[in-house]
Structure formats: structure tokens, C-alpha cells
Amino acid sequence: MTRRIVVVMLVPVLWSPPGVDLVAWRAAMAEDVVDLLARLAQAEAAIAATPEDRPLAEEIAWPGTRIYEVPAPTVRPVLSAAMADGFEQAAVIAGDAPDVPGMTLGKLLRPLEGKSVAVSPGGPAGGLFGVATGLPAPEWLIDHDLDTASAQSLRKTAPSPGEVTSTPQWRRLRGPADLATLDPALEGWENTRALLGG
């Protein structure tokens, strides 16, 4: 069986809803994503954090969850750490998408049987929700963050554009317009929901 890992990247968060503390907002969103991963059957879970975010990672981690300390919130150091731990496939996802369904993660990993890299766009605000690849990661896969990268930018260095496949997008909560798309009927995201008052 293929050893897979999904890593929550503690991405920078520059916006919070009116009246909600930015630090608490960031922590709640990331904790909700980590809680979802802890229930995944087909992959192990980890958190990637810069040294200054290490305390937050330790606060929201489940017992036994790996924490990868990286110099900046970019993807390649995370992929290298996952490979060093013996994983054969890895996905790196943003920690500001608290209501992401588990099936979205499955769709991000599924194409790796035939494609080198899979990406999930981050919704109207741009960037990526996640990126997945077999390990070791292809040499042509440039290091990138999830805020500014796109499927197009990753295809530029690929041997052929088809090596990077796009999977269904999932928007991240990066502004008022994204907040309006939250579906209270979706299960999960309890910590974020609590900060929003129910």
C-alpha cells in the first residue's frame, strides 16, 4: 500500500472577520483542517510550520502528529521532509480552509497514479488550496508558496503541461467574500464556527 501524507501548511493569514482576533482566527481555521486530517483513513497527517509558528503547530496537533519545521511557508522543504520520513506521496494544503471536505483531499491525491503533480486551485482569491506529488518530487517542480502559485506557474517548468493536472478547487478564507460562501450545513469546522458565533 502506498504511504501517503497530507501536510497542513500554516500559511500567513492577513484578514479576520470584524470583531474576531486575527491570532485566534488563524488558529481556529488551522485546527479545523488538522482535525479533518486526523480522521483520514488513506493518508497520515502532519503540520508544516516556520520556527515562529512552531508553538501554534504544537497547540493544534493531535498526539503523534508529525510537525515539519520549515524556514518559510513554501512547499519543497515539506516534500523533502516527507520523503525523508519514507512517504511515497505527499500533499501540502493551506491551513485557512477549515470547511474543506475530505473528498476534496482524495481528489487531490488520486491523479498521482498517472500524473507527476496535482493541484487544487484556491478559489476566486487565487493561489492554490493544495499541491500533491509523488516522492521524490520532480526536479522541475519549483519551490513555491500556496498564496501566489497557480497551475499555470507550475506548468511553466514542467517537461510538458500535462504533467500538472488540476483537481476541483476549494476556496480559502482570505476575505469577506470568501466568508460569505461558508455553508453552515457542512459538517466540521467547529472551531471556526464557534468564533463566528455559532
Side-chain angles (χ1 to χ4, degrees):
M1 185 162 170
T2 302
R3 286 195 72 206
R4 300 182 180 93
I5 190 165
V6 180
V7 186
V8 179
M9 178 78 76
L10 296 182
V11 292
V13 173
L14 306 176
W15 172 89
S16 63
V20 177
D21 177 74
L22 181 62
V23 174
W25 176 247
R26 184 184 189 217
M29 290 194 295
E31 186 169 3
D32 283 337
V33 181
V34 171
D35 287 353
L36 168 70
L37 292 193
R39 298 190 291 269
L40 280 184
Q42 70 269 35
E44 294 187 43
I47 302 169
T50 60
E52 53 268 33
D53 282 335
R54 179 87 191 207
L56 172 58
E58 291 175 351
E59 177 186 328
I60 64 176
W62 284 53
T65 300
R66 289 175 170 83
I67 297 176
Y68 294 137
E69 195 168 298
V70 292
T74 60
V75 167
R76 286 232 45 140
V78 181
L79 298 177
S80 297
M83 187 181 72
D85 273 348
F87 291 98
E88 299 164 82
Q89 294 179 352
V92 182
I93 63 171
D96 57 2
D99 61 336
V100 61
M103 72 173 112
T104 299
L105 302 178
K107 289 176 180 176
L108 181 60
L109 289 163
R110 193 170 300 129
L112 297 183
E113 302 309 319
K115 300 286 185 179
S116 297
V117 174
V119 297
S120 172
L128 295 175
F129 160 68
V131 59
T133 183
L135 299 175
E139 290 186 11
W140 53 261
L141 180 63
I142 56 171
D143 194 21
H144 61 279
D145 61 47
L146 296 174
D147 290 347
T148 59
S150 65
Q152 290 79 5
S153 66
L154 298 188
R155 287 185 180 117
K156 287 179 181 175
T157 56
S160 68
E163 289 296 309
V164 179
T165 189
S166 293
T167 67
Q169 71 174 16
W170 192 262
R171 58 95 189 91
R172 298 162 55 189
L173 296 185
R174 297 199 278 176
D178 302 317
L179 190 65
T181 65
L182 279 171
D183 182 357
L186 276 177
E187 291 185 11
W189 60 283
E190 283 87 359
N191 297 288
T192 304
R193 197 188 304 256
L195 278 185
L196 293 171

